[in-house]
């Protein structure tokens, strides 16, 4: 049974990465997966939060936001003093995912903030955010570090993809219609070397068994290879890894 | 290598469930896992949130909070307008986990709020919360429904346990010292029938591979059986499931 | 005319004090007055608020909170940036009451926070909080001070009780149904030596005269003696006072 | 021993009441007690809060605020989402005090808001607020009710005064320097007929006995007679009471 | 065509300035323009905000607030964490307007806060605020500086007036009924020497052309001369300017 | 004297307008002026705010936000419950500017929200926002209205440009370095027919005279013609105006 957009279960959407999209931050990446479009910028500050001072270590943090016009109906801005639960979860995930590959001591007392602002949302905004943020991070680190130093600071690439079970079939890289219909939804974050950073599987008013889990992890592993290649391709000579 | 408290890798802490701990709510459960102690209350309201009105369906939601004295140093109350990210994540997890086994149409237009207030925190507060909340939920549902109706409303029991890799060894039900030392930390939510509701594994500035994942899932499955039995035992004749 | 629960006008509810209820704070007291149940913890921090630094004095503060499930209908958490007026009043009262018996210079540059979290509310939560907080405070002070030093830091015990006029009759220690029906409601905070710390009498859409006031103060004095004895009994050898 | 401003212990400061100070609200009273100056306005709205609708009853509420320039050093505005505890306590006291003399059923489904904005603060701002608010309330009620109806709506006048023990001597109507030096501080709210509405006595890091209490209540009673006379004088023909 | 209150198009309302209205701040001015009444106080603090420390410069800032009873229907207090847009705009305008005539280096490391609290609002509250704030500022500066130094700190006087087009006719100093009916509304801030500090013209669901603009500016210039004279008159011997 | 980027005083930066940049809202325009880049989306809702219901009229509102990475150093998100003053001023200006050309009765009971999110900030973000928002508005209106109806709903185009005095020379369309150096800064909003909607001139710690004002208005008029032409060109056949 073909997917609603004609893709095979194992097929990613069309992903594109455009570096140096804006010039106000050392890292600025426009990443798209089908219609989902995220602007990932990486800002560098030469200090760390108060609770980290004097340890010689750096800090990497992520923020996530959907622009009001990124979705229909329009999403209200989170200005009333309250960041919604989904936003909080996603930005914590982005931060953890990227920190898993950064050596904070090699980074030194700097803070890098990865801002992932969703311009258009069609499913998979958190996975696009992580995948784009890595590229912005590399550009930001390269703005003050040699290739060799960058490789010490960033130990490996990291990317993310979603998998899920739609109409009983495990599929890769769900768009919004699929995401809404999925009974199980899983986000997998992996390094370029193929190790897990994060596995988050959730039954949406449903449950799943070990076989479902195995099928989804296999799909994720396939997608992840393509995304790592895409990151490498986008970074070209700036790619710091082996 | 024995664990710091002498447990085997496959061994749970001592878990206890005390029902009807307070009398102001139809469900009120004091659950403890070692020193971790959580008061789970279930309140019933004969209405649903505005966005659900008129659909004939109910709603189940969870809230989580650590009392200031539950930990040392003292934890500040979240009154300044901001619920912290960890709290948000945990209460969303509690809600999703319990909703996975509830038939909202069978529940009808009622809201059940599961409040999980941590009296003492020594690791695993979210898994104790979910495990205790199920028991409080059953008591709350039984306050207005027959055993037969309760079985239609709650399709199965649900419980949760943590697993992790500490000093290279996969262990079950981490306490706080283990949790702080773990390189990989996973929370598994399962139904009484042995299906997954939620799998959340995170490398803490570390990564993990498929073999680690398999070892942790196996430990979790073992612990879950004991917790389901404990829930059944606590509920005694109120246990609505087969 | 007997009271709805059979008590005489001069009779307290059954009060119980359980020390060392949790182990994460040096003082941890579960106090109950009939169904009203409050967990009072005392945390010690080896510093003082910025505006007190360098004066060689300590600080004692109180916080008060009702758990959502402590009452029916469920009470919403105060997370939306706003502590309600009643909560504010009560926690200011707790702080003032306990500070009245503490010698801040003898305490030295430490902050003791007395958290009073209501697990079940059936009237008199503020008086139970003050009475329990004193016991938690003594345990906390004894965690770093000798009996002799503790006696210098805490000059006397302090406890509180409510009195009111219900159906024209002055009664002691009102529970929730009585509190709702009372035309006059008074909270009295006294030291072990029988001095007033605070007298707060309020007509609830009603007024009262000097005779009413005298009758209520007499009842309060009687109750207070019993509560001071209860505190002494609970603390046993830890009781620092003469 | 004379007081720092030459008054006798039983002597009020100079109190003045100016009605119709502004014209945007039906009640508008500028009240001063020595240098303490408060603008009390009474606004009428032809509806009640949602939780009171359809009961045929009205509502009276008070708000209190100190202008930033009313004190030195300047007081920050309470705009950051948080009303401070003292403000909360005072505005609750104002509301309760005035409601004690209002018949909500006679008022009907209207809300009267009594805004007490302190233009200059020199001690006793809460007692000036209550005393002025009563006058503003009468003017507001007379804007829609006959003298006879007003007398049914407002059953009696209400006023407030502070007493305290300064250097061991009970004194009436403390100004700011006396208030800062007082060991015991008491606010008494009474009706024109001489009944108590509220008695709030607090030891400021000190305690007091029954004799102190009696002395203070006697002083308060004396001051209250003068304030009731001042209110009557200010209202002239608008005075609705016998 | 005469204006609704009988004024000529070129005529100001009756403006009055009363200095030293309260005594808790060095500058305290009650200014009225017809029924519009604003209390402008100037507080001096011997420090500057953190971001200005160590530069040897001072800071002048404005705050604006309408008392709830200043208008009908009553205006809610801005306590819920949110200052409304109009308030923000006005207080920024007050600050910029006054700073335009202050030499921050001559002032030295002090902060002067100009609080403009509207007691009664009948149009033109922002222009009355600026005009009164200048007078309060002079009094505050004179509290610590000689006439000569004051002249170095405050380079010139500043005042403000509104102009608008009502029923096709350009008019000066609009009151509330005119303001509501105006199609174009302009606020002009000028120095005593006749230079512009700020020109803000807005079509209210309408547009205007260069001729309208010229007519309004001419009216403003006329009004400004009278206001500067009024300020000079109020300050008498304290007037620091040539 | 040439400008730092070689432009003549009368010369705009290079402006570009890209329609249909995202597909989740009926209007979506990416507008750039030199490096300044703003995404303007127009969302349509088939209802109006509560205070406008039942009048048969529509509502148009604007929101403005700078992405954190749009500037260096990074700008913090406005999530802490407080929208800063500058943001508030700008979004009120956008709303007023566009409403000046919309016939709310012709629009009918719909709300159009114009979100202006700044991707990169190099001066003039508010003028780019207004100029782009008009184009997004036209596209949004055309999504439900014929060309003829659109012309009735939107009476004319509107655009905005900044002018200022830098080093004593009046210049058009300031970028960030010029904006920082300008002594006078003016934003002019005009309709396609050449009428003013808004004129806001501010001395930045400086003052200006009528001659300066005239010179700036002349420059603005010139720039505005080019911007109106650019809007017309971008809209092509969708241009609804004569």
């Amino acid at each position: 049974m073909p997917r609603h957009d004609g893709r095979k279960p194992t097929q990613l959407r069309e992903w594109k990465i455009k570096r140096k999209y804006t010039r106000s931050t050392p890292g600025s990446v426009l990443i798209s997966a089908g219609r989902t479009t995220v602007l990932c910028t990486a800002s560098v500050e030469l200090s760390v939060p108060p609770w980290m001072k004097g340890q010689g270590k750096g800090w990497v943090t992520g923020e996530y936001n959907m622009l009001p016009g990124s979705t229909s109906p329009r999403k209200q801005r989170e200005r009333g003093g309250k960041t919604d639960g989904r936003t909080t979860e996603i930005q914590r995930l982005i931060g953890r995912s990227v920190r898993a590959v950064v050596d904070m001591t090699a980074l030194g007392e700097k803070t890098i903030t990865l801002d992932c602002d969703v311009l258009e949302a069609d499913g998979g905004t958190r996975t696009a955010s992580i995948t784009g943020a890595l590229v912005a991070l590399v550009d930001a680190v390269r703005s003050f570090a040699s290739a060799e130093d960058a490789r010490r600071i960033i130990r490996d690439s990291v990317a993310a993809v979603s998998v899920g079970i739609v109409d009983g079939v495990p599929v890769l890289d769900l768009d919004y219609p699929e995401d809404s219909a999925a009974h199980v939804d899983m986000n997998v974050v992996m390094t370029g070397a193929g190790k897990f950073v994060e596995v988050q599987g959730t039954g949406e008013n449903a449950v799943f068994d070990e076989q479902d889990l195995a099928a989804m992890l296999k799909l994720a592993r396939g997608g992840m290879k393509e995304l790592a290649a895409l990151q490498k391709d986008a970074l070209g000579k700036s790619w710091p890894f082996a």
Side-chain angles (χ1 to χ4, degrees), chain A residues 162-172 182-188 199-204 206-221:
Chain A
S162 72
V163 283
I165 299 182
V166 181
D167 292 331
V169 180
V171 292
L172 178 68
H183 282 144
V184 185
D185 180 18
M186 177 173 270
N187 289 289
V188 178
V199 171
Q200 293 194 343
T202 303
E204 304 285 344
V207 296
F208 56 103
D209 59 23
E210 304 235 359
Q211 201 173 337
D212 297 326
L213 183 61
M216 289 189 289
L217 289 172
K218 191 180 164 195
L219 278 179
R221 191 169 285 281

Side-chain angles (χ1 to χ4, degrees), chain A residues 16-20 26-31 40-42 98 114 128-142 154 157-159 227-236 238-241:
Chain A
K16 289 184 202 158
I17 293 177
K18 179 169 182 181
R19 283 162 67 211
K20 302 184 196 248
S28 174
V29 166
L30 192 76
I31 187 165
C40 305
T41 58
V98 177
L114 300 163
S129 293
I130 292 167
T131 306
L134 183 276
V135 178
L137 174 72
V138 170
D139 274 335
V141 167
R142 288 302 309 273
I154 314 176
S157 67
V158 65
L227 294 180
L230 183 73
Q231 289 175 325
K232 186 172 181 179
D233 196 51
L235 280 163
S238 297
W239 181 253
F241 314 113

Side-chain angles (χ1 to χ4, degrees), chain A residues 13-44:
Chain A
R13 290 178 280 184
E14 185 182 18
W15 285 62
K16 289 184 202 158
I17 293 177
K18 179 169 182 181
R19 283 162 67 211
K20 302 184 196 248
Y21 184 71
T22 50
R23 278 153 297 174
S24 27
T25 49
S28 174
V29 166
L30 192 76
I31 187 165
S32 57
R35 274 181 53 188
T36 290
T37 307
V38 184
L39 175 56
C40 305
T41 58
S43 301
V44 180

Side-chain angles (χ1 to χ4, degrees), chain A residues 7 14 47 51 84-85 91-92 97 99 102 113 147 156 159 165 186 188 197 213 218:
Chain A
R7 281 190 285 155
E14 185 182 18
S47 65
W51 48 276
D84 78 32
Q91 59 191 12
R92 282 164 59 90
S97 297
R99 281 195 295 274
V102 173
T113 306
D156 197 353
I165 299 182
M186 177 173 270
V188 178
V197 172
L213 183 61
K218 191 180 164 195

Side-chain angles (χ1 to χ4, degrees), chain A residues 31-92:
Chain A
I31 187 165
S32 57
R35 274 181 53 188
T36 290
T37 307
V38 184
L39 175 56
C40 305
T41 58
S43 301
V44 180
E45 206 184 335
L46 298 178
S47 65
V48 286
W51 48 276
M52 288 194 66
K53 281 209 174 119
Q55 304 177 28
K57 289 183 180 178
W59 185 240
V60 176
T61 185
E63 297 204 359
Y64 171 92
N65 187 45
M66 285 173 64
L67 297 205
S70 66
T71 190
S72 174
R74 180 180 179 273
K75 183 177 187 294
Q76 282 215 327
R77 288 178 201 274
E78 294 176 356
R79 273 178 176 159
K82 207 174 157 179
T83 303
D84 78 32
R86 181 184 165 275
T87 295
T88 300
E89 263 186 37
I90 295 178
Q91 59 191 12
R92 282 164 59 90

